[in-house]
Amino acid sequence: SQQVLEALKTDIATRDLDVKRLRSETDANQATRIRQFEGDGDRQYLTGLRVAGKHIVIALDTSTSMLDETIVNIIRRRNLDASSQRQAPKWQRSLRIVEWITANMPVDAKFQIIGFSVDAEPAIPESANRWLAINDEAVLDQSLKNLQEITPGEGSSLHSAFAALNEMEPMPDNVFLITDGLPTQGIEPSRSNLIEAQDRLKLFQ
């Protein structure tokens, strides 16, 4: 029993050291953030996600399905004016994810944000195939502002997203793919307005 007790004490001491180390790393990270970004109250918006790398890409799905969770509600929102579509909670939540990731990037990182549906385009169109500095506040603000002006539409093609990634030089060492499901488009546009789940899985593979 004494041996067990001593082992537990040692384990507790080790865990206390781990906690102190993690708190120190968190404080250091907070001090070097590009901008502050929190969820409700003091909660982190995303947890358990380490944003690292020298060349980071955020690939954001901008297809019609990003308007809502169900087909019926997607169709309803699609019939609204563009401004109302852009205020869809699901779409706004996706934009906040992008903002959180950029807020937690290393200060010396290069980044690019690419929106993709059937085609892919960087948030700042004239920056295609170029890396942007995350510590350039004006460039980052413009990227996020331009995303706010996108109205989700069309199908979703991962081919277009990764074709754009392949044009980057040097290649990204970290890619954050933000999407809500399997793609609906392949290399060629679909000839049908409907697609089955098994076909979407084939497109993904």
Side-chain angles (χ1 to χ4, degrees):
S1 297
Q2 187 63 35
Q3 288 177 338
V4 171
L5 181 59
E6 292 301 323
L8 287 173
K9 287 181 179 179
T10 301
D11 186 51
I12 291 172
T14 301
R15 291 178 184 273
D16 284 343
L17 288 174
D18 288 340
V19 169
K20 289 178 180 178
R21 177 180 55 79
L22 289 171
R23 284 177 176 168
S24 177
E25 290 178 358
T26 300
D27 291 341
N29 183 48
Q30 291 283 355
T32 57
R33 276 191 184 179
I34 297 300
R35 60 178 68 194
Q36 294 299 312
F37 188 91
E38 294 179 342
D40 296 334
D42 292 327
R43 291 179 297 173
Q44 282 289 337
Y45 191 65
L46 297 174
T47 58
L49 182 63
R50 181 170 178 264
V51 181
K54 294 293 185 182
H55 296 87
I56 304 170
V57 168
I58 300 174
L60 173 64
D61 189 342
T62 61
S63 65
T64 306
S65 66
M66 299 297 281
L67 290 173
D68 215 304
E69 304 295 344
T70 66
I71 293 178
V72 172
N73 286 339
I74 289 170
I75 293 173
R76 287 173 178 169
R77 287 195 177 276
R78 193 175 58 183
N79 291 328
L80 300 176
D81 61 274
S83 178
S84 297
Q85 291 182 52
R86 289 193 292 271
Q87 293 305 311
K90 180 177 178 179
W91 177 239
Q92 287 298 313
R93 187 165 64 247
S94 302
L95 296 179
R96 284 177 62 79
I97 290 172
V98 173
E99 189 174 350
W100 186 93
I101 293 173
T102 59
N104 286 273
M105 286 183 182
V107 294
D108 59 345
K110 303 291 185 181
F111 81 102
Q112 184 58 270
I113 302 173
I114 296 173
F116 71 93
S117 54
V118 174
D119 299 311
E121 185 176 19
I124 300 179
E126 57 269 26
S127 71
N129 304 333
R130 289 198 294 112
W131 289 108
L132 307 174
I134 193 65
N135 60 7
D136 188 333
E137 189 172 352
V139 168
L140 178 56
D141 286 344
Q142 188 63 53
S143 297
L144 298 175
K145 180 177 180 293
N146 288 0
L147 287 183
Q148 291 283 351
E149 297 173 0
I150 292 176
T151 303
E154 301 186 292
S156 174
S157 170
L158 286 178
H159 282 284
S160 66
F162 283 92
L165 297 184
N166 285 330
E167 296 296 323
M168 303 297 295
E169 182 63 40
M171 291 285 285
D173 50 22
N174 207 347
V175 177
F176 293 92
L177 176 63
I178 303 170
T179 185
D180 65 337
L182 298 170
T184 60
Q185 298 276 336
I187 297 176
E188 300 294 331
S190 175
R191 297 179 181 179
S192 173
N193 291 329
L194 299 174
I195 183 168
E196 299 294 333
Q198 61 267 27
D199 294 323
R200 296 181 69 178
L201 181 58
K202 290 178 182 177
L203 291 174
F204 175 77
Q205 292 171 339

